[in-house]
Amino acid sequence: MGWLLCYLVTLLVSHILSLCTCQDKIVPGQYIGGNHTLVSSLGTFSLGFFNPNENSTKYFLGMRFNKFPNTALVWVANRESPLDSPDFFMLSSDGNLVVLDQTRKLVWSTNASVSASAMNHTTGLLEDTGNLVLRFEEVTLWESFDPCDTMLPGIKISLNKKTGQQRRLTSWAALDDPQPGKFTFGIDPKVPVQAFIWKETTPYYRSSVYIGKDTAHFQNPGGTAFFLSYNFDVDDVYLAYSVSDSSVKLRVWLDPTGQIKQQLWQNSSKTWLELGNSRPVDNCDFYAHCGPNSACRRGEPLSSPCKCLTGFSAKFPNQWAVGNWSSGCVREKVLTCGNGIKSYFSKLERVKLPDHFVLLNNRSMSECESECQQNCSCTAYNYVDATDGSNIGTCLAWFGELLDLEENKTIFANDIYIRVHGSELGMYFVFCYFLYGCVR
Ligand SMILES: *[C@@H]1O[C@H](CO)[C@@H](O)[C@H](O)[C@H]1NC(C)=O
Ligand SMILES: *[C@@H]1O[C@H](CO)[C@@H](O)[C@H](O)[C@H]1NC(C)=O
Ligand SMILES: *[C@@H]1O[C@H](CO)[C@@H](O)[C@H](O)[C@H]1NC(C)=O
Ligand SMILES: *[C@@H]1O[C@H](CO)[C@@H](O)[C@H](O)[C@H]1NC(C)=O
Ligand SMILES: *[C@@H]1O[C@H](CO)[C@@H](O)[C@H](O)[C@H]1NC(C)=O
Ligand SMILES: *[C@@H]1O[C@H](CO)[C@@H](O)[C@H](O)[C@H]1NC(C)=O
Ligand SMILES: *[C@@H]1O[C@H](CO)[C@@H](O)[C@H](O)[C@H]1NC(C)=O
Ligand SMILES: *[C@@H]1O[C@H](CO)[C@@H](O)[C@H](O)[C@H]1NC(C)=O
Ligand SMILES: *[C@@H]1O[C@H](CO)[C@@H](O)[C@H](O)[C@H]1NC(C)=O
């Protein structure tokens, strides 16, 4: 009741923002409602009450590209609480940005803790990057860059290794319904060097493995450039997109069907151009499509994308033959290991590394090899050089089944050394190994 009264009091002294489209700020005593909007300083983004698409009669406080009306909302406040009319967006007496319905009931709040002295002095500012920030003096109390379903340049998908705090994309339930859907996109909390799309809690798509930090450069046929940066070395690991200059409008969004899409705005056609990097698209993108100990081959006929790894054969050959690959492959010959018996490894080049590895940091290549060779339960390893050019890098070791491996990768590809029975390598190689140690 106290809360309700506060809003009523605030509302009495409120006045609606004038129709001037130069307003990028909301201050105590003002509100936004109806078809009025905040517009960022250079006119890139607008914030107001919108319908999610033409087929929806529900209103959400949302943000969109101001110059491309009727295109998707890039951020929505009251995702879970649709309104029947474009009601009130304002600063409440507790200093937070709030959405109220027509009965002045609280529908959404930024929920920041605001000190008593700041309460009547906060502002809401729509920045030209598409970030809505709640500020007191120069301090940011809350920001909308904690994303919904869309990454704009500057938004990070992140995981804090110390606190476990995550920033994930969450898909909409449907194109006309911003309520949280089934899919999320974020960094793997188990080994924070890869990203996943989860369908509810089940892995749906897994990215490549990103060791260290780097920036990948993409160029679309029209010549526009954008970048994917990552840094998995710091405590707050992240993935983020950026663009070559601010005239390039990029959105990366997780659509309601669970597909992550990169789209660039085309001035000529006034549409979002979808780039060829959407995931998942191929069979091999679906997590563990070929089951354990097998490789998935992109672009192969739908009937045969899966192949058992060297030394393995189908666990259930009848199922495998009819295209049910979920049980994967098992070893053909029991490995002999331990007591000075030699270990053999088969090298597979340019793969998407399988899931469920252990990261052994601060190892040299030879330390990585011998640690895996000397441990009979180590089924595979891979060594990644340090980005600083030293010989001390990262060792990845697998201690079980090899799941979600893809062959013939062209970008973010790695080699992997898989433990096999000596006979798999052929006599020449075994001989060669004893003499020179030339098989790795
Ligand atoms: C906003 O709504 C009012 C009536 O509700 C209408 O007269 C006005 O034209 C609208 N403005 C815009 C920019 O759509
Ligand atoms: C809206 O509904 C119509 C008719 O069902 C459909 O053809 C159209 O594609 C829908 N528009 C959107 C944006 O979903
Ligand atoms: C704000 O906090 C309330 C109570 O803790 C919670 O129910 C609500 O979901 C929060 N809203 C947002 C937008 O985080
Ligand atoms: C905020 O301003 C309102 C109206 O000016 C006033 O009634 C209220 O006491 C102020 N609240 C605080 C915490 O200063
Ligand atoms: C697209 O058009 C806008 C003005 O409508 C202009 O500011 C921008 O530079 C153009 N972008 C590109 C990539 O040409
Ligand atoms: C696939 O094979 C597994 C193992 O034999 C079996 O449990 C499962 O039901 C099969 N799935 C289909 C769709 O046949
Ligand atoms: C890495 O290993 C080297 C020698 O093996 C050691 O001197 C160094 O302290 C280690 N660094 C870290 C961060 O563990
Ligand atoms: C092999 O590695 C596993 C997993 O790291 C470990 O638990 C086990 O103790 C190791 N075995 C030997 C013999 O070093
Ligand atoms: C994988 O790459 C190798 C060598 O480039 C090539 O011979 C083979 O056909 C490729 N396989 C597929 C499935 O693309």
Side-chain angles (χ1 to χ4, degrees):
M1 201 56 213
W3 272 83
L4 195 59
L5 206 61
C6 279
Y7 292 124
L8 282 170
V9 169
T10 318
L11 211 61
L12 287 175
V13 299
S14 294
H15 60 275
I16 196 156
L17 281 172
S18 72
L19 258 181
C20 165
T21 52
C22 51
Q23 187 96 41
D24 62 351
K25 221 180 256 149
I26 187 164
V27 299
Q30 292 179 324
Y31 74 93
I32 282 181
N35 55 12
H36 296 246
T37 57
L38 287 183
V39 176
S40 62
S41 60
L42 300 177
T44 305
F45 291 97
S46 53
L47 181 86
F49 287 98
F50 301 123
N51 307 118
N53 78 2
E54 65 201 21
N55 291 341
S56 169
T57 55
K58 297 292 181 186
Y59 287 87
F60 296 85
L61 180 77
M63 193 188 307
R64 67 184 183 197
F65 284 93
N66 187 43
K67 288 173 185 151
F68 324 144
N70 308 321
T71 69
L73 301 181
V74 295
W75 178 78
V76 175
N78 53 313
R79 286 185 82 160
E80 295 170 57
S81 318
L83 294 171
D84 292 321
S85 47
D87 300 323
F88 304 101
F89 171 60
M90 61 195 297
L91 285 156
S92 83
S93 51
D94 75 350
N96 275 290
L97 290 167
V98 292
V99 173
L100 309 181
D101 70 10
Q102 50 190 325
T103 68
R104 316 291 188 259
K105 192 170 136 274
L106 180 67
V107 163
W108 178 86
S109 163
T110 51
N111 269 0
S113 57
V114 182
S115 66
S117 60
M119 276 180 185
N120 272 354
H121 308 285
T122 53
T123 52
L125 175 69
L126 178 59
E127 295 183 337
D128 207 58
T129 54
N131 198 9
L132 172 68
V133 294
L134 174 68
R135 276 197 186 151
F136 170 59
E137 292 170 346
E138 292 310 303
V139 180
T140 295
L141 303 172
W142 174 91
E143 59 181 352
S144 70
F145 261 21
D146 199 353
C148 289
D149 71 335
T150 302
M151 279 170 91
L152 298 169
I155 292 186
K156 286 176 174 174
I157 292 302
S158 64
L159 170 81
N160 189 303
K161 290 194 256 186
K162 294 227 160 111
T163 64
Q165 199 197 352
Q166 298 193 43
R167 282 187 167 190
R168 288 189 184 183
L169 299 183
T170 304
S171 72
W172 288 17
L175 285 174
D176 60 357
D177 183 1
Q179 285 187 74
K182 289 192 178 76
F183 297 94
T184 56
F185 174 69
I187 290 167
D188 182 6
K190 290 190 191 122
V191 268
V193 292
Q194 55 186 4
F196 273 93
I197 296 172
W198 289 274
K199 183 178 186 179
E200 285 157 353
T201 54
T202 309
Y204 184 67
Y205 161 77
R206 186 177 63 99
S207 74
S208 302
V209 174
Y210 305 105
I211 300 291
K213 57 172 189 245
D214 204 356
T215 296
H217 178 260
F218 298 90
Q219 192 116 29
N220 85 323
T224 344
F226 65 99
F227 310 91
L228 170 62
S229 301
Y230 58 84
N231 190 345
F232 287 93
D233 282 345
V234 287
D235 281 338
D236 213 9
V237 301
Y238 67 84
L239 281 171
Y241 285 88
S242 55
V243 289
S244 48
D245 71 87
S246 62
S247 71
V248 179
K249 304 302 178 206
L250 172 75
R251 72 188 268 245
V252 177
W253 67 297
L254 181 62
D255 83 4
T257 69
Q259 202 179 54
I260 191 116
K261 292 183 160 133
Q262 298 169 349
Q263 295 177 320
L264 284 175
W265 181 258
Q266 295 304 100
N267 269 353
S268 48
S269 60
K270 304 220 177 312
T271 52
W272 288 101
L273 173 74
E274 194 165 324
L275 304 169
N277 318 41
S278 302
R279 293 286 184 274
V281 283
D282 188 274
N283 276 319
C284 293
D285 293 328
F286 292 96
Y287 186 76
H289 182 70
C290 292
N293 305 317
S294 61
C296 194
R297 294 172 294 172
R298 183 173 294 272
E300 285 288 290
L302 286 183
S303 55
S304 60
C306 303
K307 188 185 81 176
C308 289
L309 295 172
T310 303
F312 293 82
S313 59
K315 184 170 184 189
F316 299 117
N318 294 341
Q319 291 288 343
W320 189 265
V322 298
N324 176 359
W325 299 288
S326 60
S327 304
C329 308
V330 289
R331 268 192 204 284
E332 290 173 328
K333 290 188 180 134
V334 176
L335 290 179
T336 47
C337 183
N339 288 330
I341 297 173
K342 265 258 159 324
S343 296
Y344 302 100
F345 287 83
S346 148
K347 180 179 183 182
L348 203 51
E349 289 179 339
R350 291 188 297 112
V351 303
K352 173 164 118 180
L353 293 171
D355 197 12
H356 301 310
F357 49 88
V358 175
L359 281 182
L360 306 168
N361 290 310
N362 196 19
R363 301 291 205 280
S364 70
M365 172 94 187
S366 58
E367 282 169 343
C368 180
E369 281 172 356
S370 69
E371 267 174 77
C372 187
Q373 278 169 7
Q374 285 162 22
N375 187 325
C376 291
S377 48
C378 181
T379 47
Y381 69 88
N382 163 251
Y383 172 78
V384 182
D385 261 328
T387 40
D388 65 5
S390 73
N391 295 325
I392 302 297
T394 303
C395 185
L396 288 79
W398 284 259
F399 291 94
E401 291 175 328
L402 303 174
L403 200 62
D404 200 39
L405 181 152
E406 185 190 325
E407 255 183 24
N408 274 22
K409 285 279 286 181
T410 50
I411 55 166
F412 297 120
N414 285 93
D415 298 342
I416 187 170
Y417 301 90
I418 300 170
R419 186 185 289 272
V420 293
H421 193 274
S423 64
E424 301 297 344
L425 295 171
M427 274 319 286
Y428 165 75
F429 287 110
V430 175
F431 182 64
C432 169
Y433 187 91
F434 280 120
L435 281 186
Y436 313 109
C438 62
V439 170
R440 294 211 288 246

